[in-house]
Amino acid sequence: MESVDRNIEKLSSARVLVVGDVMLDRYWFGDVRRISPEAPVPVVSVTATSERLGGAGNVARNITALGGVCTLLGVIGDDEAGRSVAAISRDSQVIAALETDRTIKTTIKLRVVCKNQQLLRADFENKPDPSVIEKLLVKYERLIPAHDVVILSDYGKGGLGEIAQWMQIAKSHGRPILIDPKGNDYSRYHGATMITPNLAEFEAAAGVGPADALAGRAQSLIARHGLDSLLITLSDKGMQLFQRHGKPVYMPARSREVYDVSGAGDTVIAVMAMALSAGLSRPAGMALANSAAGVVIAKLGTAAIDREELRAAIKQDYRA
């Protein structure tokens, strides 16, 4: 446990630049006591609301909650939701290097929740103007030298534009690049240090096949797209790391009650980036990420984990 404790402490030295689709996650909590007379749908009496950083913002929030330094680079609208994103970033100790696009509305995911069950999600989204992305790229090149690792958080909302530009700049500065992928075309991520798909995302890119053929498909994807490593999250079966140089590493899921898996991938990539920034090995980072993911899926909605929660979770995992 001593070495694990040291690894957790090392995370506080991480300096990570997160770039991508910034969102505001809104939650309306309430009770359902009747069905609407207008349509066969429940009527929710809203009793509480909550706002949290979503998308790339949730990745950034996980980094600062674990004691790391994080700059968040993305686009917001000139609206109330954008101002909320900026305010929550400040409260979360995230350095917000946000660009305002006055032609769009800030991306919002609104979830209506009753008794810890999500009844409805409504998305409000627009793609940023290309001229705003160009301004972001200028900020990006200026910010990279102050950070050790880059995360490109691709939610397919247009906040990254042509992702090859971001990767080229990071490579020119010698920075590792971790990517949370979207879609089935991984050629866009050619040369990345690590991508972190879940199993469904991986199979969309590599094809569906039997579990015992997973390693072959993973190594083929790594070779085809010049990846350094591939970390596949396998839901209740844990996660598996494949590397261009090195043996595969498998870690089973930590047994905890699951409330909500939304945002677990954000936690995994955040911890892995911090581990690389702090000089930890990929398997050591994976062990921390695996325990961290087990904590956040036991929380409702997009959530972050702090160092004490992670330390307690790892102790529980060791006892088990």
Side-chain angles (χ1 to χ4, degrees), residues 248-259:
V249 180
Y250 170 73
M251 290 186 183
R254 302 312 181 188
S255 180
R256 292 186 178 86
E257 189 170 2
V258 177
Y259 278 105

Side-chain angles (χ1 to χ4, degrees), residues 23-272:
M23 311 174 197
L24 181 66
D25 281 1
R26 277 191 170 142
Y27 292 85
W28 291 357
F29 302 98
D31 299 317
V32 174
R33 297 189 179 90
R34 62 191 178 97
I35 301 299
S36 171
E38 302 164 358
V41 295
V43 175
V44 180
S45 177
V46 176
T47 57
T49 63
S50 176
E51 292 186 338
R52 306 170 191 179
L53 293 176
N58 189 46
V59 178
R61 185 168 70 111
N62 271 272
I63 291 167
T64 58
L66 284 167
V69 173
C70 181
T71 301
L72 174 63
L73 188 58
V75 181
I76 56 173
D78 184 16
D79 53 16
E80 175 265 337
R83 289 185 284 276
S84 289
V85 167
I88 298 170
S89 296
R90 286 192 297 272
D91 292 343
S92 304
Q93 287 78 54
V94 172
I95 303 166
L98 303 170
E99 194 69 39
T100 300
D101 184 345
R102 289 177 171 78
T103 69
I104 66 166
K105 299 292 186 183
T106 301
T107 298
I108 299 172
K109 288 183 179 180
L110 170 63
R111 296 172 176 90
V112 181
V113 180
C114 175
K115 299 186 186 302
N116 291 340
Q117 295 292 320
Q118 188 178 142
L119 299 182
L120 172 72
R121 194 182 96 181
D123 291 2
F124 306 84
E125 57 191 52
N126 314 260
K127 288 194 173 182
D129 188 273
S131 64
V132 177
I133 300 297
E134 289 300 319
K135 291 180 182 177
L136 275 186
L137 282 163
V138 173
K139 279 187 179 180
Y140 176 63
E141 186 142 29
R142 190 178 71 244
L143 289 168
I144 278 187
H147 300 82
D148 303 314
V149 177
V150 172
I151 294 177
L152 300 180
S153 186
D154 186 5
Y155 274 78
K157 309 300 182 187
L160 287 166
E162 291 296 327
I163 201 165
Q165 299 177 84
W166 304 92
M167 294 184 64
Q168 183 179 358
I169 293 170
K171 287 177 184 176
S172 72
H173 287 270
R175 297 301 189 263
I177 307 162
L178 283 75
I179 300 177
D180 188 359
K182 193 71 174 180
N184 59 9
D185 180 14
Y186 283 13
S187 65
R188 301 188 306 130
Y189 309 129
H190 191 92
T193 306
M194 179 181 289
I195 59 173
T196 60
N198 60 36
L199 182 59
E201 290 167 338
F202 167 75
E203 290 184 333
V208 178
D212 59 4
L214 182 68
R217 284 179 290 145
Q219 294 295 352
S220 175
L221 199 69
I222 287 172
R224 189 160 67 249
H225 299 305
L227 305 174
D228 199 49
S229 55
L230 173 69
L231 178 62
I232 305 172
T233 53
L234 304 169
S235 188
D236 60 342
K237 293 182 175 62
M239 56 180 65
Q240 191 150 9
L241 174 69
F242 298 94
Q243 305 174 78
R244 187 191 303 181
H245 306 292
K247 295 180 179 179
V249 180
Y250 170 73
M251 290 186 183
R254 302 312 181 188
S255 180
R256 292 186 178 86
E257 189 170 2
V258 177
Y259 278 105
D260 194 340
V261 298
S262 64
D266 296 337
T267 300
V268 169
I269 197 170
V271 175
M272 288 304 303

